[in-house]
Amino acid sequence: DQSFFADFVVEATWRDAGLAAETDARRVFDLEDVWNPELLIVNQRSASSSMPEVVQVDSDGNVRYLQRFTGRFSVPMYLRDFPLDDQELRLWVISVPPPGGEEVELVPVEVEVLRADSLSVTDWDVGELRLETADYSATPKARVLSGIALSIPVSRQVKYYIVQVLIPLIAVVLMSWSVYWIDPAVVATRMGVAVTTMLTLIAYRFMLGNLVPRLSYLTRLDYFMFIATSLVILTLFVMAGTSYLKTRGHDALVDRIDSAGRKFFPVVFALLAAVVWFV
């Protein structure tokens, strides 16, 4: 659904001279009772806050706001390289001034972004986080609002897809290759293996459809699936053709076709697969 779950803390500081006071005690005010930059998370879907909406103010008027957010956040994902893709997740905070209010410039603090030692992201590797300026405009001609984004680079772990998707799919394709090794006289067995492989591949295709959303373009996995399906269909037609030739007494031609299939089927499959995954 092109979203991710996050649990993070936002800390914002600013100075309000009107809140300065001759006292060493740190004072606490409700957020709505003092001026504040009206922070908004642009890409939130169902986020909620869990800390009181208050600010702490010192004697010089330095204000500190701290809030923890938990929920789901939207992110556009480009999946052409799936399952070898890298993505950029974002937590995007902007300042929305009230009508007629003064614009505020958000500036990222130049310190290391703190994060948990281990993150509960089972099938992704999380890279180094970056806090950067990211202004926001709702439409091309709309007002530009000051913003800051926490960029989170992630890389999909491909081991799961190798074990659960690619190896079984390769096994199905090689099952269709095995028909070239079966005695041409056993027509029913050869056709049965070819048809069974085709039906298995169709069922497998429906299962793979749940791994990615409905896209207007093809991913690497889609291309690989297209190659596998094409080879299996071609084998099915070849088996039908050799069965017909066998009944007409063209045994020598059938043997040459089987010999060519045993040699070229895995070579063609390997070359096309290499193009899909490594180019």
Side-chain angles (χ1 to χ4, degrees):
D1 59 359
Q2 302 200 63
S3 70
F4 65 99
F5 181 88
D7 182 356
F8 67 103
V9 174
V10 173
E11 180 182 13
T13 59
W14 62 92
R15 188 173 185 274
D16 188 343
L19 295 177
E22 296 181 359
T23 177
D24 294 333
R26 187 174 294 272
R27 292 160 294 157
V28 178
F29 297 92
D30 290 337
L31 181 65
E32 60 183 15
D33 292 337
V34 300
W35 179 92
N36 67 84
E38 299 290 343
L39 299 179
L40 172 68
I41 305 174
V42 176
N43 59 325
Q44 66 176 339
R45 281 192 178 177
S46 57
S48 60
S49 57
S50 57
M51 298 175 65
E53 288 282 54
V54 298
V55 295
Q56 296 180 357
V57 184
D58 64 13
S59 59
D60 295 327
N62 295 314
V63 185
R64 179 173 181 260
Y65 170 69
L66 198 67
Q67 186 56 267
R68 177 180 178 179
F69 297 95
T70 306
R72 300 202 69 82
F73 303 86
S74 61
V75 57
M77 293 186 177
Y78 303 99
L79 302 169
R80 291 189 185 277
D81 288 334
F82 175 83
L84 304 179
D85 54 319
D86 300 327
Q87 303 294 339
E88 188 86 6
L89 310 182
R90 258 190 171 192
L91 297 169
W92 198 353
V93 179
I94 65 172
S95 174
V96 183
E102 184 177 351
E103 292 189 10
V104 175
E105 180 184 1
L106 299 183
V107 180
V109 180
E110 296 182 358
V111 296
E112 181 183 3
V113 179
L114 302 178
R115 54 178 281 186
D117 293 333
S118 61
L119 300 178
S120 57
V121 186
T122 56
D123 54 347
W124 295 86
D125 292 320
V126 182
E128 292 298 323
L129 283 64
R130 303 188 311 276
L131 194 63
E132 54 194 8
T133 301
D135 295 338
Y136 174 78
S137 179
T139 63
K141 295 184 179 180
R143 181 182 181 181
V144 177
L145 302 176
S146 178
I148 289 178
L150 178 64
S151 296
I152 311 168
V154 294
S155 300
R156 194 185 303 271
Q157 295 177 0
V158 74
K159 293 180 181 178
Y160 168 84
Y161 298 93
I162 291 177
V163 175
Q164 299 293 335
V165 177
L166 297 183
I167 291 180
L169 184 56
I170 292 173
V172 171
V173 176
L174 294 181
M175 185 169 67
S176 69
W177 177 47
S178 68
V179 298
Y180 292 103
W181 300 87
I182 299 175
D183 189 343
V186 191
V187 175
T189 301
R190 283 159 64 96
M191 287 299 298
V193 172
V195 172
T196 300
T197 303
M198 189 65 219
L199 295 177
T200 303
L201 203 58
I202 292 173
Y204 205 74
R205 184 66 185 90
F206 280 107
M207 184 274 292
L208 294 181
N210 296 323
L211 295 179
V212 294
R214 296 177 181 178
L215 304 172
S216 60
Y217 53 85
L218 297 179
T219 66
R220 287 183 185 266
L221 185 59
D222 291 326
Y223 283 114
F224 186 68
M225 192 70 187
F226 176 76
I227 291 171
T229 304
S230 299
L231 288 176
V232 172
I233 292 177
L234 178 61
T235 299
L236 180 60
F237 287 150
V238 170
M239 291 302 101
T242 55
S243 298
Y244 175 79
L245 293 174
K246 186 70 175 178
T247 60
R248 293 297 185 271
H250 299 288
D251 295 352
L253 179 57
V254 171
D255 290 340
R256 288 197 298 270
I257 293 174
D258 284 349
S259 178
R262 287 192 290 265
K263 294 176 182 178
F264 293 111
F265 185 101
V267 174
V268 172
F269 182 49
L271 289 176
L272 294 177
V275 171
V276 168
W277 295 115
F278 300 110
V279 175

